[in-house]
Amino acid sequence: MTILPGHIRQVGYVVTDIDRAIASWLELGVGPWFVMRNLTLSARYRGEPCEITQSLALANSGDMQMELIQQHSEGPSVFSEFLDAHGEGFHQFAYWASDFDATMEALEAAGWPVVWSGGEDVGTRFAYVEPPGGPGHIAQIIEIMELTEITSGMAAFVRDAAANWDGSDPIRVLGG
């Protein structure tokens, strides 16, 4: 029995060049990509407050959402830690929790340390936890994303765009 909420909903990759990564995924027929550039994110990294600038891209392949993450700023984060240790690549599985507080309580009770968290300032909380047994056995990191009207609406929007995608307009910028 798992303490994680439901099924894996997203696979996340940390990259150093989001445009190159998107191009690689487009070659595999995955798209369209919804890109948000130069976002400022306030978070807690291993218990300490921090702020980073990042770009994100989302697309679906069937029901599975893919996320690309490029950190632009120099500061410490779960992403820069991963890049320093492993280089680019698969970083996390994400689960979407309709009861975020209960999920986090269960993970804490099971001894899964929170290494990256935030989102309270934008109304959608997230936490990245390290699986038991240390990183690397199945996944480096597990992300728990609070399932709200905003996150479920965005997930449906990206999934529906992929389901009906004819290859046109492969990169769609969100915000700014």
Side-chain angles (χ1 to χ4, degrees), residues 83-117:
L83 282 171
D84 290 346
H86 306 284
E88 293 182 281
F90 165 69
H91 182 254
Q92 85 256 359
F93 288 130
Y95 292 79
W96 298 341
S98 56
D99 190 339
F100 186 82
D101 293 326
T103 299
M104 295 312 299
E105 288 170 14
L107 290 167
E108 182 180 357
W112 292 42
V114 175
V115 295
W116 183 250
S117 63

Side-chain angles (χ1 to χ4, degrees), residues 47-66:
E48 298 298 321
C50 67
E51 187 173 276
I52 65 167
T53 303
Q54 64 181 357
S55 292
L56 303 174
L58 301 170
N60 266 56
S61 180
D63 287 333
M64 183 62 65
Q65 187 177 88
M66 308 300 168

Side-chain angles (χ1 to χ4, degrees), residues 136-148:
H137 296 296
I138 295 174
Q140 296 292 322
I141 297 289
I142 301 295
E143 177 185 5
I144 307 299
M145 173 66 74
E146 184 174 26
L147 191 58
T148 65

Side-chain angles (χ1 to χ4, degrees), residues 73-88:
S73 56
E74 290 292 321
S77 75
V78 71
F79 310 117
S80 61
E81 175 185 278
F82 179 82
L83 282 171
D84 290 346
H86 306 284
E88 293 182 281

